[in-house]
Amino acid sequence: LYIYMGGGNTAKMMRIFKRTKVNAYLLQAYEKGIILTGLSAGAMAYFTNGYSDSNRSTNPEASLALVKCLNIIPYCFCPHYNDEERKSFDEFVKNKHFNGLALEDNTALVFINDEIKGVIKSDESAKAYFINENSKEEIK
């Protein structure tokens, strides 16, 4: 059994989840061992927070910004890290003193019992990174 969430507007998703209590149901599912998975905003939802373009739904020129998420995985997350503008995540994480995870497209992380256990890639050139104020390391 698993729960899959697709992409979209992370900030809007979090507001709807809170209002409808989906956030509590997802946490219960996680605690019962149900696999949680997602793509883009759907992946970001599981992290403490994410580096999101959600503000662009109302302002196409808006900068990437912090979105508070479900806090199941204790990192700040940045999807689509291969997009040039997402490279600003490095400085964002350093300034906020966060531990960050950045994934290029076609890359997924496997978490088991709150630990990163591996990277799955559909494109061997795609990469995943751990980034904090002191370092940037590729996750193998």
Side-chain angles (χ1 to χ4, degrees):
L1 187 60
Y2 66 92
I3 296 172
Y4 171 84
M5 286 194 285
N9 183 317
T10 312
K12 186 174 182 179
M13 185 185 304
M14 292 301 101
R15 287 191 302 273
I16 292 169
F17 284 5
K18 186 175 181 180
R19 186 176 70 238
T20 60
K21 307 215 181 336
V22 168
N23 56 344
Y25 298 129
L26 288 168
L27 185 56
Q28 287 174 2
Y30 173 74
E31 290 169 349
K32 289 180 180 181
I34 293 172
I35 296 168
L36 304 178
T37 186
L39 171 73
S40 190
M44 188 183 301
Y46 302 117
F47 288 83
T48 300
N49 45 49
Y51 196 52
S52 173
D53 62 0
S54 292
N55 293 336
R56 292 194 179 149
S57 64
T58 56
N59 176 3
E61 302 300 318
S63 297
L64 297 170
L66 183 71
V67 173
K68 293 188 186 288
C69 298
L70 297 174
N71 199 28
I72 293 171
I73 302 171
Y75 293 92
C76 184
F77 179 66
C78 178
H80 312 297
Y81 188 68
N82 47 300
D83 291 348
E84 192 58 40
E85 79 169 323
R86 303 281 176 148
K87 301 299 183 200
S88 60
F89 181 67
D90 297 19
E91 199 61 34
F92 179 81
V93 166
K94 289 177 187 179
N95 291 337
K96 297 282 188 183
H97 309 287
F98 287 150
N99 288 321
L101 295 173
L103 272 64
E104 294 181 354
D105 293 345
N106 303 310
T107 306
L109 289 176
V110 177
F111 282 87
I112 300 173
N113 297 325
D114 300 324
E115 289 184 39
I116 298 170
K117 295 294 186 177
V119 178
I120 299 171
K121 302 176 183 184
S122 63
D123 173 351
E124 282 306 311
S125 67
K127 296 180 180 170
Y129 296 94
F130 170 80
I131 304 167
N132 67 19
E133 60 190 300
N134 300 313
S135 67
K136 176 179 179 178
E137 301 170 26
E138 184 177 349
I139 303 168
K140 300 282 183 173

